[in-house]
Amino acid sequence: MPKKTVEDVAWQGKRALVRVDFNVPMDDARQITDDTRIRAALPTITYLSDRGARVILMSHLGRPKGEPNPKYSLRPVADHLASLIPDKRVSFCPEAVGEEAQKAVSALADGDILLLENVRFYPGEEKNDPAFARQLADLGDVFVNDAFGSAHRAHASTAGIAQYLPCVAGFLMEREVGIMGKALANPERPFVAIIGGAKVSDKIKVIENLLPKVDALIIGGGMANTFLAVEGHDMAKSLVEEDAKETARRLLDLARTSNRKLLLPVDVVAAKAFAPDAEHTVRLVSELQPDEMALDVGPASVEMFRNEILGAKTVIWNGPMGVFEMPAFAKGTFAIAQAMAEADATTIVGGGDSVAAVEQAGVADKMTHVSTGGGASLEFLEGRTLPGVAVIEDK
Ligand code: ADP
Ligand code: MG
């Protein structure tokens, strides 16, 4: 069911309490090294400000474990935010709740923006303590959840707070849930999913959820080895999860009985060591040598996967095709990114490493949607209801 958004509220003079995901990477000098997440929240922030709301922003940063720690202060983020929207008044409050926060909120004029200090400086945040949620709620009139990246956690600022305030989605949240939700519920077909990454065990639930919905499922990366082993191949020194073989067998059977196309690599880039400078050769899966391991999918597999992707109308990708951190084993992953960029389809990329790969390949802007939430997008693809999404009111 569609969710209420910021567009469903008359904002003039109202206090919009907005949960954003400003959990940005910083270097040792506390300089922000990647501001993607801050930029991703700008449409919601400027929309609210332009409509005369008093915008109060909440976020976490890092893992300060329930106590104040200057290393995880959001102050540098407030400064950066101010530099991104120079025509707005942006201030910072060194507390997230209590008297000082109350005062800072009272001082806001319509259109002003205030960033509160890291909510994880308080033990009540991660415990989803109702008293802490209540203190946060006291600062606003409407709760806007725009933190898709934190929506898989039931914390005070992502879920608990909705007990005390009406809750609507911000634009980023609306987009994440809308695009991925449509792909899962009502995709334009053919619908192709590509799953990779190191381990089957990380992705079992994603595969189980997607398999009945897709027209074709492509499996690559380290996890393909376990499937190939179950199919009878000797994967030699490759990463194979003995524990996951039963599951892999069950998923292969499920694909067969439900008539879903399931594509596995037919060739691989084989190396004698897990190292950037390891000697490497392309081999058919059936010709892997006893002292070799598969670290990327090979060109014939890429060609097969590419054709499937180019024929699709919806493509979801989670998990690299190989050890893309090492250039020698990145070709398969980058080729998939390239094929998705070329496809005349709704293309969605989710997962921390997959998103990094698409960015490295230089094609992030060619995708319909690059999810900002690593863990959250994975849980979404698993078909789970995210607590931070569940609290948003239906239209
Ligand atoms: P995401 O973060 O996109 O969900 P994962 O974390 O599941 O992706 O998987 C990414 C990791 O999988 C990368 O670090 C990559 O090196 C590793 N990987 C991919 N293919 C292989 C392989 N053949 N052998 C070992 N590791 C692999
Ligand atoms: Mg990862």
Side-chain angles (χ1 to χ4, degrees), residues 88-136:
K88 302 284 185 192
R89 285 218 308 198
V90 178
S91 54
F92 176 73
C93 177
E95 297 284 347
V97 293
E99 218 173 296
E100 195 161 352
Q102 291 281 2
K103 247 194 257 162
V105 168
S106 306
L108 295 175
D110 293 355
D112 285 356
I113 298 160
L114 172 72
L115 176 60
L116 301 172
E117 185 54 285
N118 194 340
V119 286
R120 286 197 188 165
F121 283 4
Y122 303 81
E125 166 63 2
E126 289 181 81
K127 288 192 191 125
N128 197 7
D129 171 31
F132 180 66
R134 172 97 240 190
Q135 279 187 295
L136 285 172

mmCIF file of all heavy atoms in Angstrom, residues 88-136:
data_model
loop_
_atom_site.group_PDB
_atom_site.id
_atom_site.type_symbol
_atom_site.label_atom_id
_atom_site.label_comp_id
_atom_site.label_asym_id
_atom_site.label_seq_id
_atom_site.Cartn_x
_atom_site.Cartn_y
_atom_site.Cartn_z
ATOM 1 N N LYS A 88 20.324 28.508 2.849
ATOM 2 C CA LYS A 88 19.496 28.126 3.996
ATOM 3 C C LYS A 88 20.251 28.402 5.294
ATOM 4 O O LYS A 88 21.487 28.371 5.313
ATOM 5 C CB LYS A 88 19.177 26.625 3.943
ATOM 6 C CG LYS A 88 18.454 26.178 2.684
ATOM 7 C CD LYS A 88 17.006 26.577 2.722
ATOM 8 C CE LYS A 88 16.268 26.027 1.512
ATOM 9 N NZ LYS A 88 14.938 26.640 1.372
ATOM 10 N N ARG A 89 19.467 28.612 6.356
ATOM 11 C CA ARG A 89 20.109 28.743 7.673
ATOM 12 C C ARG A 89 20.197 27.374 8.323
ATOM 13 O O ARG A 89 19.174 26.758 8.643
ATOM 14 C CB ARG A 89 19.298 29.687 8.555
ATOM 15 C CG ARG A 89 19.480 31.148 8.174
ATOM 16 C CD ARG A 89 19.511 31.999 9.403
ATOM 17 N NE ARG A 89 18.342 31.732 10.249
ATOM 18 C CZ ARG A 89 17.923 32.547 11.200
ATOM 19 N NH1 ARG A 89 18.587 33.676 11.435
ATOM 20 N NH2 ARG A 89 16.866 32.246 11.930
ATOM 21 N N VAL A 90 21.423 26.893 8.510
ATOM 22 C CA VAL A 90 21.647 25.577 9.099
ATOM 23 C C VAL A 90 22.400 25.752 10.414
ATOM 24 O O VAL A 90 23.422 26.429 10.464
ATOM 25 C CB VAL A 90 22.496 24.675 8.157
ATOM 26 C CG1 VAL A 90 22.755 23.319 8.806
ATOM 27 C CG2 VAL A 90 21.805 24.502 6.806
ATOM 28 N N SER A 91 21.871 25.179 11.488
ATOM 29 C CA SER A 91 22.595 25.246 12.758
ATOM 30 C C SER A 91 22.757 23.843 13.335
ATOM 31 O O SER A 91 22.179 22.865 12.829
ATOM 32 C CB SER A 91 21.863 26.153 13.752
ATOM 33 O OG SER A 91 20.519 25.733 13.885
ATOM 34 N N PHE A 92 23.548 23.741 14.393
ATOM 35 C CA PHE A 92 23.854 22.453 15.012
ATOM 36 C C PHE A 92 23.580 22.551 16.500
ATOM 37 O O PHE A 92 23.861 23.574 17.132
ATOM 38 C CB PHE A 92 25.327 22.109 14.780
ATOM 39 C CG PHE A 92 25.758 20.842 15.461
ATOM 40 C CD1 PHE A 92 25.353 19.601 14.980
ATOM 41 C CD2 PHE A 92 26.564 20.885 16.595
ATOM 42 C CE1 PHE A 92 25.739 18.433 15.617
ATOM 43 C CE2 PHE A 92 26.949 19.714 17.233
ATOM 44 C CZ PHE A 92 26.539 18.490 16.738
ATOM 45 N N CYS A 93 23.006 21.507 17.083
ATOM 46 C CA CYS A 93 22.790 21.470 18.527
ATOM 47 C C CYS A 93 23.619 20.326 19.117
ATOM 48 O O CYS A 93 23.465 19.181 18.688
ATOM 49 C CB CYS A 93 21.313 21.257 18.849
ATOM 50 S SG CYS A 93 21.013 21.121 20.621
ATOM 51 N N PRO A 94 24.480 20.612 20.079
ATOM 52 C CA PRO A 94 25.351 19.563 20.636
ATOM 53 C C PRO A 94 24.627 18.542 21.526
ATOM 54 O O PRO A 94 25.273 17.694 22.136
ATOM 55 C CB PRO A 94 26.402 20.335 21.434
ATOM 56 C CG PRO A 94 25.795 21.660 21.710
ATOM 57 C CD PRO A 94 24.779 21.932 20.638
ATOM 58 N N GLU A 95 23.320 18.619 21.580
ATOM 59 C CA GLU A 95 22.516 17.597 22.258
ATOM 60 C C GLU A 95 21.445 17.110 21.278
ATOM 61 O O GLU A 95 21.112 17.811 20.320
ATOM 62 C CB GLU A 95 21.808 18.176 23.490
ATOM 63 C CG GLU A 95 22.743 18.688 24.590
ATOM 64 C CD GLU A 95 23.369 17.551 25.396
ATOM 65 O OE1 GLU A 95 22.898 16.394 25.263
ATOM 66 O OE2 GLU A 95 24.333 17.819 26.133
ATOM 67 N N ALA A 96 20.874 15.930 21.526
ATOM 68 C CA ALA A 96 19.773 15.452 20.684
ATOM 69 C C ALA A 96 18.430 15.582 21.382
ATOM 70 O O ALA A 96 17.375 15.619 20.739
ATOM 71 C CB ALA A 96 19.996 14.001 20.277
ATOM 72 N N VAL A 97 18.451 15.612 22.715
ATOM 73 C CA VAL A 97 17.217 15.763 23.495
ATOM 74 C C VAL A 97 17.517 16.677 24.689
ATOM 75 O O VAL A 97 18.656 17.079 24.902
ATOM 76 C CB VAL A 97 16.700 14.395 24.035
ATOM 77 C CG1 VAL A 97 16.236 13.491 22.909
ATOM 78 C CG2 VAL A 97 17.759 13.709 24.873
ATOM 79 N N GLY A 98 16.466 16.991 25.442
ATOM 80 C CA GLY A 98 16.662 17.759 26.675
ATOM 81 C C GLY A 98 16.557 19.255 26.456
ATOM 82 O O GLY A 98 16.159 19.719 25.385
ATOM 83 N N GLU A 99 16.948 19.967 27.509
ATOM 84 C CA GLU A 99 16.711 21.407 27.544
ATOM 85 C C GLU A 99 17.397 22.158 26.395
ATOM 86 O O GLU A 99 16.787 22.998 25.740
ATOM 87 C CB GLU A 99 17.233 21.948 28.876
ATOM 88 C CG GLU A 99 16.365 23.035 29.473
ATOM 89 C CD GLU A 99 16.868 23.392 30.867
ATOM 90 O OE1 GLU A 99 16.815 22.514 31.769
ATOM 91 O OE2 GLU A 99 17.344 24.521 31.027
ATOM 92 N N GLU A 100 18.661 21.779 26.176
ATOM 93 C CA GLU A 100 19.406 22.504 25.143
ATOM 94 C C GLU A 100 18.782 22.275 23.764
ATOM 95 O O GLU A 100 18.666 23.196 22.951
ATOM 96 C CB GLU A 100 20.871 22.058 25.141
ATOM 97 C CG GLU A 100 21.728 23.024 24.361
ATOM 98 C CD GLU A 100 23.223 22.909 24.711
ATOM 99 O OE1 GLU A 100 23.573 22.187 25.675
ATOM 100 O OE2 GLU A 100 24.006 23.541 24.006
ATOM 101 N N ALA A 101 18.349 21.041 23.514
ATOM 102 C CA ALA A 101 17.707 20.740 22.233
ATOM 103 C C ALA A 101 16.375 21.498 22.124
ATOM 104 O O ALA A 101 16.059 22.070 21.071
ATOM 105 C CB ALA A 101 17.484 19.237 22.102
ATOM 106 N N GLN A 102 15.616 21.507 23.223
ATOM 107 C CA GLN A 102 14.343 22.242 23.240
ATOM 108 C C GLN A 102 14.566 23.715 22.892
ATOM 109 O O GLN A 102 13.823 24.304 22.105
ATOM 110 C CB GLN A 102 13.701 22.162 24.634
ATOM 111 C CG GLN A 102 13.189 20.781 25.015
ATOM 112 C CD GLN A 102 11.837 20.453 24.377
ATOM 113 O OE1 GLN A 102 11.298 21.255 23.615
ATOM 114 N NE2 GLN A 102 11.317 19.274 24.659
ATOM 115 N N LYS A 103 15.604 24.289 23.493
ATOM 116 C CA LYS A 103 15.905 25.705 23.265
ATOM 117 C C LYS A 103 16.284 25.959 21.812
ATOM 118 O O LYS A 103 15.827 26.923 21.197
ATOM 119 C CB LYS A 103 17.068 26.140 24.183
ATOM 120 C CG LYS A 103 16.619 27.140 25.257
ATOM 121 C CD LYS A 103 17.835 27.786 25.892
ATOM 122 C CE LYS A 103 18.096 27.171 27.272
ATOM 123 N NZ LYS A 103 19.427 27.400 27.793
ATOM 124 N N ALA A 104 17.105 25.071 21.276
ATOM 125 C CA ALA A 104 17.555 25.241 19.892
ATOM 126 C C ALA A 104 16.365 25.157 18.939
ATOM 127 O O ALA A 104 16.277 25.918 17.965
ATOM 128 C CB ALA A 104 18.590 24.174 19.547
ATOM 129 N N VAL A 105 15.430 24.271 19.243
ATOM 130 C CA VAL A 105 14.244 24.131 18.386
ATOM 131 C C VAL A 105 13.368 25.379 18.498
ATOM 132 O O VAL A 105 12.873 25.898 17.491
ATOM 133 C CB VAL A 105 13.452 22.851 18.755
ATOM 134 C CG1 VAL A 105 12.088 22.853 18.082
ATOM 135 C CG2 VAL A 105 14.245 21.613 18.373
ATOM 136 N N SER A 106 13.207 25.886 19.729
ATOM 137 C CA SER A 106 12.375 27.088 19.926
ATOM 138 C C SER A 106 12.931 28.293 19.182
ATOM 139 O O SER A 106 12.189 29.189 18.796
ATOM 140 C CB SER A 106 12.293 27.451 21.413
ATOM 141 O OG SER A 106 11.848 26.350 22.145
ATOM 142 N N ALA A 107 14.239 28.305 18.997
ATOM 143 C CA ALA A 107 14.881 29.460 18.337
ATOM 144 C C ALA A 107 14.724 29.423 16.821
ATOM 145 O O ALA A 107 15.062 30.396 16.141
ATOM 146 C CB ALA A 107 16.363 29.494 18.709
ATOM 147 N N LEU A 108 14.199 28.322 16.277
ATOM 148 C CA LEU A 108 14.102 28.206 14.814
ATOM 149 C C LEU A 108 12.992 29.086 14.260
ATOM 150 O O LEU A 108 11.914 29.181 14.840
ATOM 151 C CB LEU A 108 13.815 26.758 14.404
ATOM 152 C CG LEU A 108 14.886 25.704 14.695
ATOM 153 C CD1 LEU A 108 14.364 24.320 14.321
ATOM 154 C CD2 LEU A 108 16.179 26.011 13.942
ATOM 155 N N ALA A 109 13.264 29.704 13.126
ATOM 156 C CA ALA A 109 12.218 30.387 12.357
ATOM 157 C C ALA A 109 11.753 29.438 11.246
ATOM 158 O O ALA A 109 12.424 28.444 10.955
ATOM 159 C CB ALA A 109 12.768 31.667 11.765
ATOM 160 N N ASP A 110 10.616 29.736 10.650
ATOM 161 C CA ASP A 110 10.127 28.908 9.546
ATOM 162 C C ASP A 110 11.217 28.805 8.469
ATOM 163 O O ASP A 110 11.798 29.815 8.078
ATOM 164 C CB ASP A 110 8.861 29.526 8.933
ATOM 165 C CG ASP A 110 7.690 29.491 9.923
ATOM 166 O OD1 ASP A 110 7.848 28.908 11.018
ATOM 167 O OD2 ASP A 110 6.628 30.059 9.590
ATOM 168 N N GLY A 111 11.467 27.598 8.013
ATOM 169 C CA GLY A 111 12.465 27.390 6.958
ATOM 170 C C GLY A 111 13.862 27.076 7.468
ATOM 171 O O GLY A 111 14.716 26.631 6.703
ATOM 172 N N ASP A 112 14.105 27.311 8.764
ATOM 173 C CA ASP A 112 15.436 27.028 9.325
ATOM 174 C C ASP A 112 15.666 25.530 9.468
ATOM 175 O O ASP A 112 14.708 24.753 9.597
ATOM 176 C CB ASP A 112 15.587 27.670 10.709
ATOM 177 C CG ASP A 112 15.794 29.174 10.632
ATOM 178 O OD1 ASP A 112 15.893 29.701 9.501
ATOM 179 O OD2 ASP A 112 15.860 29.813 11.702
ATOM 180 N N ILE A 113 16.934 25.175 9.510
ATOM 181 C CA ILE A 113 17.316 23.760 9.603
ATOM 182 C C ILE A 113 18.265 23.570 10.784
ATOM 183 O O ILE A 113 19.223 24.336 10.945
ATOM 184 C CB ILE A 113 18.014 23.315 8.289
ATOM 185 C CG1 ILE A 113 17.038 23.455 7.115
ATOM 186 C CG2 ILE A 113 18.535 21.889 8.400
ATOM 187 C CD1 ILE A 113 17.704 23.527 5.758
ATOM 188 N N LEU A 114 17.965 22.573 11.601
ATOM 189 C CA LEU A 114 18.788 22.293 12.785
ATOM 190 C C LEU A 114 19.192 20.824 12.768
ATOM 191 O O LEU A 114 18.334 19.942 12.639
ATOM 192 C CB LEU A 114 17.972 22.576 14.051
ATOM 193 C CG LEU A 114 18.594 22.168 15.388
ATOM 194 C CD1 LEU A 114 19.754 23.093 15.760
ATOM 195 C CD2 LEU A 114 17.539 22.193 16.507
ATOM 196 N N LEU A 115 20.482 20.552 12.884
ATOM 197 C CA LEU A 115 20.926 19.159 13.023
ATOM 198 C C LEU A 115 21.234 18.878 14.486
ATOM 199 O O LEU A 115 22.033 19.582 15.108
ATOM 200 C CB LEU A 115 22.173 18.899 12.160
ATOM 201 C CG LEU A 115 22.812 17.500 12.289
ATOM 202 C CD1 LEU A 115 21.850 16.377 11.902
ATOM 203 C CD2 LEU A 115 24.093 17.405 11.445
ATOM 204 N N LEU A 116 20.581 17.866 15.025
ATOM 205 C CA LEU A 116 20.825 17.457 16.414
ATOM 206 C C LEU A 116 22.081 16.582 16.472
ATOM 207 O O LEU A 116 22.461 15.958 15.482
ATOM 208 C CB LEU A 116 19.631 16.652 16.945
ATOM 209 C CG LEU A 116 18.273 17.358 16.936
ATOM 210 C CD1 LEU A 116 17.162 16.372 17.303
ATOM 211 C CD2 LEU A 116 18.269 18.555 17.896
ATOM 212 N N GLU A 117 22.693 16.518 17.648
ATOM 213 C CA GLU A 117 23.855 15.645 17.835
ATOM 214 C C GLU A 117 23.446 14.179 17.680
ATOM 215 O O GLU A 117 22.260 13.821 17.790
ATOM 216 C CB GLU A 117 24.476 15.927 19.209
ATOM 217 C CG GLU A 117 25.763 15.183 19.518
ATOM 218 C CD GLU A 117 26.878 15.359 18.476
ATOM 219 O OE1 GLU A 117 26.788 14.753 17.389
ATOM 220 O OE2 GLU A 117 27.852 16.097 18.784
ATOM 221 N N ASN A 118 24.435 13.365 17.412
ATOM 222 C CA ASN A 118 24.326 11.922 17.199
ATOM 223 C C ASN A 118 23.362 11.238 18.190
ATOM 224 O O ASN A 118 23.611 11.208 19.394
ATOM 225 C CB ASN A 118 25.734 11.334 17.347
ATOM 226 C CG ASN A 118 25.850 9.926 16.836
ATOM 227 O OD1 ASN A 118 24.850 9.226 16.709
ATOM 228 N ND2 ASN A 118 27.069 9.522 16.545
ATOM 229 N N VAL A 119 22.292 10.665 17.680
ATOM 230 C CA VAL A 119 21.314 10.017 18.574
ATOM 231 C C VAL A 119 21.900 8.801 19.296
ATOM 232 O O VAL A 119 21.399 8.404 20.348
ATOM 233 C CB VAL A 119 20.020 9.592 17.820
ATOM 234 C CG1 VAL A 119 19.161 10.805 17.501
ATOM 235 C CG2 VAL A 119 20.338 8.798 16.562
ATOM 236 N N ARG A 120 22.964 8.239 18.747
ATOM 237 C CA ARG A 120 23.574 7.072 19.414
ATOM 238 C C ARG A 120 24.492 7.470 20.577
ATOM 239 O O ARG A 120 25.124 6.613 21.179
ATOM 240 C CB ARG A 120 24.336 6.211 18.405
ATOM 241 C CG ARG A 120 23.405 5.433 17.520
ATOM 242 C CD ARG A 120 24.130 4.297 16.819
ATOM 243 N NE ARG A 120 23.254 3.683 15.837
ATOM 244 C CZ ARG A 120 23.669 2.878 14.874
ATOM 245 N NH1 ARG A 120 24.960 2.603 14.752
ATOM 246 N NH2 ARG A 120 22.816 2.348 14.023
ATOM 247 N N PHE A 121 24.542 8.775 20.915
ATOM 248 C CA PHE A 121 25.232 9.191 22.140
ATOM 249 C C PHE A 121 24.369 8.865 23.364
ATOM 250 O O PHE A 121 24.786 9.059 24.494
ATOM 251 C CB PHE A 121 25.526 10.702 22.120
ATOM 252 C CG PHE A 121 26.701 11.092 21.242
ATOM 253 C CD1 PHE A 121 27.367 10.160 20.480
ATOM 254 C CD2 PHE A 121 27.139 12.415 21.209
ATOM 255 C CE1 PHE A 121 28.445 10.525 19.671
ATOM 256 C CE2 PHE A 121 28.215 12.790 20.408
ATOM 257 C CZ PHE A 121 28.870 11.840 19.634
ATOM 258 N N TYR A 122 23.149 8.401 23.115
ATOM 259 C CA TYR A 122 22.190 8.117 24.193
ATOM 260 C C TYR A 122 21.865 6.628 24.201
ATOM 261 O O TYR A 122 21.534 6.065 23.144
ATOM 262 C CB TYR A 122 20.907 8.929 23.978
ATOM 263 C CG TYR A 122 21.168 10.414 23.887
ATOM 264 C CD1 TYR A 122 21.619 10.986 22.699
ATOM 265 C CD2 TYR A 122 20.998 11.234 24.995
ATOM 266 C CE1 TYR A 122 21.892 12.345 22.622
ATOM 267 C CE2 TYR A 122 21.265 12.595 24.921
ATOM 268 C CZ TYR A 122 21.711 13.147 23.733
ATOM 269 O OH TYR A 122 21.984 14.485 23.662
ATOM 270 N N PRO A 123 21.937 5.997 25.356
ATOM 271 C CA PRO A 123 21.689 4.548 25.400
ATOM 272 C C PRO A 123 20.279 4.173 24.951
ATOM 273 O O PRO A 123 20.044 3.054 24.491
ATOM 274 C CB PRO A 123 21.910 4.180 26.872
ATOM 275 C CG PRO A 123 21.914 5.458 27.636
ATOM 276 C CD PRO A 123 22.278 6.552 26.684
ATOM 277 N N GLY A 124 19.324 5.106 25.062
ATOM 278 C CA GLY A 124 17.946 4.802 24.705
ATOM 279 C C GLY A 124 17.723 4.613 23.210
ATOM 280 O O GLY A 124 16.719 4.024 22.797
ATOM 281 N N GLU A 125 18.650 5.116 22.378
ATOM 282 C CA GLU A 125 18.452 5.048 20.936
ATOM 283 C C GLU A 125 18.393 3.603 20.431
ATOM 284 O O GLU A 125 17.389 3.146 19.909
ATOM 285 C CB GLU A 125 19.557 5.831 20.220
ATOM 286 C CG GLU A 125 19.683 5.570 18.710
ATOM 287 C CD GLU A 125 18.469 5.975 17.877
ATOM 288 O OE1 GLU A 125 17.497 6.510 18.450
ATOM 289 O OE2 GLU A 125 18.490 5.728 16.663
ATOM 290 N N GLU A 126 19.487 2.871 20.630
ATOM 291 C CA GLU A 126 19.530 1.510 20.076
ATOM 292 C C GLU A 126 18.641 0.543 20.857
ATOM 293 O O GLU A 126 18.235 -0.482 20.336
ATOM 294 C CB GLU A 126 20.971 1.015 19.999
ATOM 295 C CG GLU A 126 21.744 1.754 18.913
ATOM 296 C CD GLU A 126 23.177 1.288 18.777
ATOM 297 O OE1 GLU A 126 23.376 0.249 18.131
ATOM 298 O OE2 GLU A 126 24.077 1.958 19.311
ATOM 299 N N LYS A 127 18.340 0.905 22.119
ATOM 300 C CA LYS A 127 17.420 0.070 22.909
ATOM 301 C C LYS A 127 15.973 0.332 22.537
ATOM 302 O O LYS A 127 15.072 -0.317 23.054
ATOM 303 C CB LYS A 127 17.602 0.363 24.402
ATOM 304 C CG LYS A 127 18.887 -0.178 24.967
ATOM 305 C CD LYS A 127 18.859 -0.112 26.497
ATOM 306 C CE LYS A 127 20.223 -0.383 27.069
ATOM 307 N NZ LYS A 127 20.683 0.690 27.970
ATOM 308 N N ASN A 128 15.761 1.331 21.707
ATOM 309 C CA ASN A 128 14.400 1.742 21.360
ATOM 310 C C ASN A 128 13.593 2.023 22.633
ATOM 311 O O ASN A 128 12.447 1.573 22.767
ATOM 312 C CB ASN A 128 13.715 0.679 20.490
ATOM 313 C CG ASN A 128 12.495 1.236 19.778
ATOM 314 O OD1 ASN A 128 12.224 2.441 19.821
ATOM 315 N ND2 ASN A 128 11.750 0.359 19.135
ATOM 316 N N ASP A 129 14.214 2.759 23.529
ATOM 317 C CA ASP A 129 13.596 3.082 24.811
ATOM 318 C C ASP A 129 12.465 4.098 24.615
ATOM 319 O O ASP A 129 12.682 5.166 24.037
ATOM 320 C CB ASP A 129 14.687 3.654 25.735
ATOM 321 C CG ASP A 129 14.120 4.234 27.016
ATOM 322 O OD1 ASP A 129 13.077 3.730 27.481
ATOM 323 O OD2 ASP A 129 14.714 5.194 27.536
ATOM 324 N N PRO A 130 11.249 3.740 25.066
ATOM 325 C CA PRO A 130 10.097 4.633 24.848
ATOM 326 C C PRO A 130 10.313 6.024 25.452
ATOM 327 O O PRO A 130 9.858 7.016 24.882
ATOM 328 C CB PRO A 130 8.940 3.924 25.561
ATOM 329 C CG PRO A 130 9.364 2.513 25.730
ATOM 330 C CD PRO A 130 10.860 2.492 25.753
ATOM 331 N N ALA A 131 10.993 6.106 26.587
ATOM 332 C CA ALA A 131 11.199 7.415 27.215
ATOM 333 C C ALA A 131 12.096 8.291 26.336
ATOM 334 O O ALA A 131 11.850 9.493 26.182
ATOM 335 C CB ALA A 131 11.822 7.243 28.599
ATOM 336 N N PHE A 132 13.119 7.683 25.753
ATOM 337 C CA PHE A 132 14.000 8.452 24.866
ATOM 338 C C PHE A 132 13.259 8.843 23.580
ATOM 339 O O PHE A 132 13.369 9.974 23.101
ATOM 340 C CB PHE A 132 15.267 7.643 24.541
ATOM 341 C CG PHE A 132 16.222 8.367 23.636
ATOM 342 C CD1 PHE A 132 16.869 9.525 24.045
ATOM 343 C CD2 PHE A 132 16.478 7.901 22.347
ATOM 344 C CE1 PHE A 132 17.751 10.202 23.208
ATOM 345 C CE2 PHE A 132 17.350 8.570 21.495
ATOM 346 C CZ PHE A 132 17.992 9.723 21.928
ATOM 347 N N ALA A 133 12.485 7.908 23.046
ATOM 348 C CA ALA A 133 11.699 8.198 21.837
ATOM 349 C C ALA A 133 10.751 9.372 22.097
ATOM 350 O O ALA A 133 10.573 10.258 21.263
ATOM 351 C CB ALA A 133 10.908 6.961 21.420
ATOM 352 N N ARG A 134 10.166 9.364 23.288
ATOM 353 C CA ARG A 134 9.246 10.426 23.697
ATOM 354 C C ARG A 134 9.965 11.784 23.745
ATOM 355 O O ARG A 134 9.462 12.794 23.267
ATOM 356 C CB ARG A 134 8.718 10.062 25.096
ATOM 357 C CG ARG A 134 7.901 11.100 25.794
ATOM 358 C CD ARG A 134 6.466 10.804 25.583
ATOM 359 N NE ARG A 134 5.852 11.937 24.907
ATOM 360 C CZ ARG A 134 4.550 12.069 24.753
ATOM 361 N NH1 ARG A 134 3.733 11.144 25.181
ATOM 362 N NH2 ARG A 134 4.058 13.121 24.154
ATOM 363 N N GLN A 135 11.192 11.775 24.305
ATOM 364 C CA GLN A 135 11.978 13.019 24.379
ATOM 365 C C GLN A 135 12.278 13.566 22.986
ATOM 366 O O GLN A 135 12.202 14.766 22.751
ATOM 367 C CB GLN A 135 13.306 12.759 25.095
ATOM 368 C CG GLN A 135 13.207 12.756 26.608
ATOM 369 C CD GLN A 135 14.608 12.652 27.204
ATOM 370 O OE1 GLN A 135 15.286 11.649 27.032
ATOM 371 N NE2 GLN A 135 15.037 13.704 27.879
ATOM 372 N N LEU A 136 12.606 12.666 22.075
ATOM 373 C CA LEU A 136 12.839 13.091 20.693
ATOM 374 C C LEU A 136 11.547 13.642 20.100
ATOM 375 O O LEU A 136 11.525 14.723 19.489
ATOM 376 C CB LEU A 136 13.319 11.915 19.837
ATOM 377 C CG LEU A 136 14.758 11.433 20.011
ATOM 378 C CD1 LEU A 136 14.962 10.133 19.227
ATOM 379 C CD2 LEU A 136 15.761 12.485 19.539
#
